[in-house]
Amino acid sequence: MSVVPEQPDHPDQSDPSLRLLWRHRTASPEEPKSKRGPKQKVSLDEVVDAAIDLADAEGLPAVTMRAIAQRFGLGAMTLYSYVPNRDALLVLMADQATGRAVLPELPEDPRKRLELVARLQYDELRAHPWLLEVQDVRPWLGPNMSDRYEWQLQAVDGLGLSDLEMDQTVAVLMGFAGNIVRSEQMLRRAEKVTGMTEAEWWAANYDTLSEVMAGSHYPLANRVGTAAGEAYQAATDPARELDYGLARIIDGVLAHVAEGSPD
């Protein structure tokens, strides 16, 4: 995440999600209210929480204005008195889900601080994998994500990085954690489609693969693939990839700092 550079005012193009995102931290909270009729039965926070729970249980495609309204016994159009559209709801969901996590105290050890940034992101995305699908609706501008970014920057502050390098280091750690969760999601989808675990699939197809690849000139792939397969009992092991890759990323950041390299 990085702070948006100052731009000329475009009032007619302002994002209506921003005031909703910051409704609890502004001097005059703008909880949406119906212009007429009885008092709303539920709060905006309750609407967003219901959407988060539905996304966690059934995936993001299940989150529709109609589905959320039905949870409260409301008409679908009633939800538009809370949020202007589904994209705005997704933005609120992303920020509110982020706010559910408690930001732990940062350890003194720089390596452990950097690791904590990535592992918190990893744990959050595993709990809410749909967050990987809402990156195109600018959810990072909310108060909870701003709190998270400040905490992440505190983790890399004082290492000797420039401001730009601090932002890029956080981005690399978050991106790596996200890619590991994506790998895990791919494995889960494959298991769901095939009805077999990775180990079961490889066991069932071992003879066929040995036959069709017999005589192929892949000496390195055969050697390394065999070693990896024996260790993982699968084609891949995202947990090991997280440990190994994170250690190497942190090695690189700390070595960069020690060398005093320019941006």
Side-chain angles (χ1 to χ4, degrees):
M1 171 183 165
S2 52
V3 178
V4 178
E6 185 176 349
Q7 296 288 340
D9 291 335
H10 294 291
D12 57 323
Q13 297 180 15
S14 63
D15 191 331
S17 303
L18 289 177
R19 292 194 180 278
L20 293 177
L21 279 167
W22 291 87
R23 64 194 181 280
H24 294 307
R25 302 198 191 183
T26 56
S28 301
E30 296 196 11
E31 182 83 9
K33 298 179 180 179
S34 298
K35 293 182 179 180
R36 59 183 177 177
K39 181 180 178 180
Q40 290 180 325
K41 295 167 58 177
V42 296
S43 69
L44 178 55
D45 286 345
E46 290 174 313
V47 169
V48 177
D49 279 335
I52 292 172
D53 293 342
L54 182 58
D56 288 346
E58 301 181 29
L60 202 60
V63 179
T64 65
M65 302 294 268
R66 181 177 299 279
I68 301 303
Q70 288 176 345
R71 289 199 164 203
F72 296 105
L74 302 172
M77 295 305 295
T78 304
L79 278 195
Y80 290 97
S81 66
Y82 292 87
V83 290
N85 51 53
R86 183 175 182 270
D87 280 352
L89 177 61
L90 297 181
V91 170
L92 296 174
M93 288 168 59
D95 191 74
Q96 198 151 305
T98 297
R100 290 182 176 184
V102 176
L103 297 176
E105 184 176 349
L106 292 166
E108 293 185 8
D109 185 345
R111 177 175 290 275
K112 291 182 179 178
R113 292 205 306 270
L114 296 177
E115 182 177 343
L116 188 57
V117 168
R119 291 195 179 277
L120 183 69
Q121 180 76 356
Y122 171 76
D123 290 341
E124 181 169 81
L125 291 176
R126 291 193 79 202
H128 309 292
W130 52 269
L131 285 170
L132 292 167
E133 303 175 48
V134 299
Q135 299 305 308
D136 58 346
V137 291
R138 298 185 176 91
W140 57 85
L141 295 176
N144 291 310
M145 288 201 173
S146 296
D147 290 345
R148 176 70 60 84
Y149 183 51
E150 182 72 16
W151 177 82
Q152 291 167 335
L153 291 176
Q154 290 171 358
V156 299
D157 191 26
L159 294 181
L161 298 168
S162 69
D163 287 351
L164 181 58
E165 289 173 329
M166 288 170 63
D167 178 75
Q168 291 174 337
T169 298
V170 168
V172 168
L173 292 170
M174 292 176 64
F176 177 69
N179 284 336
I180 295 299
V181 176
R182 286 188 180 90
S183 295
E184 291 181 345
Q185 291 299 304
M186 289 176 61
L187 287 177
R188 289 178 186 144
R189 283 195 291 269
E191 289 178 358
K192 185 176 181 180
V193 170
T194 63
M196 294 185 286
T197 65
E198 275 287 287
E200 290 170 341
W201 189 92
W202 283 99
N205 291 280
Y206 176 80
D207 290 341
T208 300
L209 287 170
S210 297
E211 178 183 344
V212 298
M213 296 186 72
S216 299
H217 299 290
Y218 305 119
L220 288 177
N222 286 332
R223 189 187 81 207
V224 174
T226 298
E230 291 176 352
Y232 305 156
Q233 290 300 298
T236 184
D237 186 338
R240 290 195 188 201
E241 292 173 14
L242 177 67
D243 292 341
Y244 181 84
L246 188 53
R248 301 293 77 77
I249 290 172
I250 295 174
D251 286 344
V253 171
L254 297 181
H256 171 72
V257 170
E259 293 170 0
S261 300
D263 292 351

